[in-house]
Amino acid sequence: MSVYAKPVEVLIDELGRLPGIGPKSAQRIAFHLLKTDAVDARRLAEAIVSMKDNVAFCERCFNVAEGAECSICTDPDRDPRLLCVVEEPKDISAIEKTGAYSGRYHVLLGAINPLEGIGPEQLKIKELALRVAGEDIAEVILCTNPNLEGETTAAFVASKVLAPFDVKVSRLASGLPVGGDLEYADELTLGRALEGRNTLDQ
Amino acid sequence: MSVYAKPVEVLIDELGRLPGIGPKSAQRIAFHLLKTDAVDARRLAEAIVSMKDNVAFCERCFNVAEGAECSICTDPDRDPRLLCVVEEPKDISAIEKTGAYSGRYHVLLGAINPLEGIGPEQLKIKELALRVAGEDIAEVILCTNPNLEGETTAAFVASKVLAPFDVKVSRLASGLPVGGDLEYADELTLGRALEGRNTLDQ
């Protein structure tokens, strides 16, 4: 027998489908919404609907966009000859925060992950090839995550997709995090940091 | 400069207000919703609105209810002489799962917490006194949490609220969890288990 009223159960169920929300969190959020002002709860519901109605992926780079193209693709101050390839739109936000990049982006909307059945054809890789073929791009910087899936994707894109084009392909540097401690670095990261060591001017 | 489209920012902001959802989780959920089917996202929004429209707190016990009273208060098979006092509606679900209780409930909708400005007047304690005065209740079982706030609330309800009434007042037993290990029990729990030791029949 269910102890809660049906609409509460339905909401707990829907919340539980969200990533990172387990049954306990879903219950906690549902009761929080039950307690809060009807106006506040409705504002959340409207934010969901409004986003689905007004936001889609940019037709060119697959970043989130309110119109056909995103604010970065339509920005004339961005260098169109630099292209940064990322897995998700949220990665763009991380890179933008560095202030170190002024080119454009291409979002793959995922990474190659055979275990989850995600191959190159599920990603926006064909679209990347079309962009590199059609736009005047000088360098593609592969900024997928430094994990198994991201490395596989970067290797695939570099060797199978971009090889035929006359374009420089680079990869984000791996190494010790700034402010990190050698003692606590894992072997892989330390190994990468050694491999990628930079010559100092003397 | 915001990298995301405005409706995405608004949704991330709204999601971030939920309990247990930090900025990173809010972002993750927003992008999940952006990727999913419009039908699925809309179902979540509708579940929120439907719950706020159809569910309120039971007028008698403050459990969640679809009508004026909850399914437990209106159940004629429930013993009306037993009253279990809990902090939150979700605690009812935990007690119901034990199958060991057949009485009714009273939800305080919180616990006394001076640091957060929650005193007895913010809780459904006056309503509890009115029920004990008006209903034919034989025993009140205080099932608030075994932490500082819950113990304070139980002590307050027992000594200040229920003392004038001719009603048995009991408290959930504290002690070692079933399947637990003496070695790993904290001192407080072990102390409580000793204090509350039961005489065995010989």
Side-chain angles (χ1 to χ4, degrees):
Chain A
M1 173 214 153
S2 131
V3 201
Y4 303 135
K6 190 88 191 22
V8 181
E9 298 276 359
V10 171
L11 179 58
I12 291 175
D13 192 53
E14 286 297 332
L15 288 168
R17 289 174 208 270
L18 298 176
I21 307 279
K24 290 265 171 192
S25 307
Q27 189 175 279
R28 195 166 156 217
I29 294 171
F31 279 112
H32 168 86
L33 289 172
L34 191 63
K35 273 194 192 176
T36 51
D37 233 41
V39 180
D40 288 342
R42 200 170 279 273
R43 216 171 45 218
L44 170 61
E46 277 161 12
I48 296 170
V49 173
S50 154
M51 187 197 64
K52 287 306 279 188
D53 285 351
N54 297 310
V55 181
F57 291 110
C58 171
E59 287 175 6
R60 183 194 295 258
C61 79
F62 303 97
N63 184 12
V64 296
E66 275 191 276
E69 291 200 354
C70 76
S71 57
I72 293 177
C73 283
T74 53
D75 184 347
D77 294 338
R78 290 277 174 166
D79 185 350
R81 295 174 50 82
L82 267 181
L83 191 66
C84 177
V85 176
V86 294
E87 291 180 21
E88 301 286 349
K90 59 174 179 274
D91 300 329
I92 293 183
S93 151
I95 295 172
E96 285 297 295
K97 276 183 197 146
T98 67
Y101 182 71
S102 61
R104 290 184 177 168
Y105 292 92
H106 186 85
V107 185
L108 297 176
L109 293 180
I112 294 173
N113 189 341
L115 284 178
E116 292 190 8
I118 301 172
E121 48 302 328
Q122 271 83 44
L123 304 173
K124 301 298 178 188
I125 287 182
K126 196 181 69 212
E127 290 80 357
L128 172 65
L130 289 173
R131 282 187 74 181
V132 175
E135 296 177 25
D136 182 23
I137 293 167
E139 180 174 357
V140 175
I141 310 170
L142 299 172
C143 294
T144 51
N145 287 322
N147 54 23
L148 183 62
E149 292 78 22
E151 296 289 359
T152 308
T153 310
F156 180 86
V157 169
S159 63
K160 308 272 175 194
V161 184
L162 299 178
F165 299 104
D166 177 27
V167 62
K168 183 180 168 192
V169 180
S170 58
R171 175 91 180 97
L172 265 189
S174 267
L176 294 176
V178 178
D181 199 321
L182 215 82
E183 188 184 356
Y184 300 116
D186 62 292
E187 301 87 333
L188 256 148
T189 304
L190 198 51
R192 287 282 186 88
L194 266 172
E195 266 177 51
R197 64 188 178 278
N198 301 310
T199 313
L200 297 179
D201 296 324
Q202 281 181 315
Chain B
M1 175 213 153
S2 128
V3 201
Y4 302 134
K6 190 91 187 36
V8 181
E9 297 277 0
V10 170
L11 178 59
I12 292 176
D13 191 53
E14 287 297 330
L15 288 168
R17 289 174 207 272
L18 298 176
I21 308 280
K24 290 264 173 193
S25 308
Q27 190 176 279
R28 195 165 155 216
I29 294 170
F31 279 111
H32 168 85
L33 289 171
L34 190 62
K35 272 193 193 176
T36 51
D37 232 41
V39 181
D40 288 341
R42 202 170 279 271
R43 216 170 46 218
L44 170 61
E46 277 160 12
I48 295 170
V49 172
S50 155
M51 186 197 65
K52 287 306 277 186
D53 286 350
N54 298 311
V55 181
F57 292 109
C58 171
E59 286 175 5
R60 185 195 294 260
C61 80
F62 303 97
N63 184 12
V64 296
E66 274 191 276
E69 291 199 351
C70 76
S71 57
I72 293 177
C73 283
T74 52
D75 185 346
D77 294 338
R78 288 278 174 165
D79 186 349
R81 294 173 53 79
L82 266 180
L83 192 65
C84 177
V85 176
V86 294
E87 292 180 21
E88 301 286 349
K90 60 174 179 271
D91 300 329
I92 294 183
S93 148
I95 294 172
E96 286 298 295
K97 275 184 199 149
T98 67
Y101 183 71
S102 61
R104 291 184 179 167
Y105 293 92
H106 186 84
V107 184
L108 298 177
L109 293 181
I112 295 173
N113 190 339
L115 283 179
E116 292 191 6
I118 300 172
E121 48 301 327
Q122 271 83 47
L123 305 174
K124 301 298 178 189
I125 287 182
K126 196 180 71 212
E127 290 79 358
L128 172 64
L130 289 171
R131 284 187 72 179
V132 175
E135 296 175 26
D136 183 23
I137 292 164
E139 180 174 356
V140 175
I141 310 169
L142 300 173
C143 294
T144 50
N145 287 321
N147 55 22
L148 183 62
E149 293 78 22
E151 295 289 0
T152 308
T153 309
F156 179 87
V157 169
S159 64
K160 308 273 177 196
V161 183
L162 300 177
F165 299 105
D166 178 27
V167 62
K168 183 180 166 191
V169 180
S170 59
R171 175 90 181 98
L172 266 188
S174 266
L176 295 176
V178 177
D181 199 318
L182 216 80
E183 188 184 355
Y184 300 116
D186 63 292
E187 302 88 333
L188 258 149
T189 304
L190 196 52
R192 287 282 184 87
L194 266 171
E195 266 176 52
R197 63 188 178 277
N198 302 311
T199 313
L200 297 180
D201 295 325
Q202 281 178 315

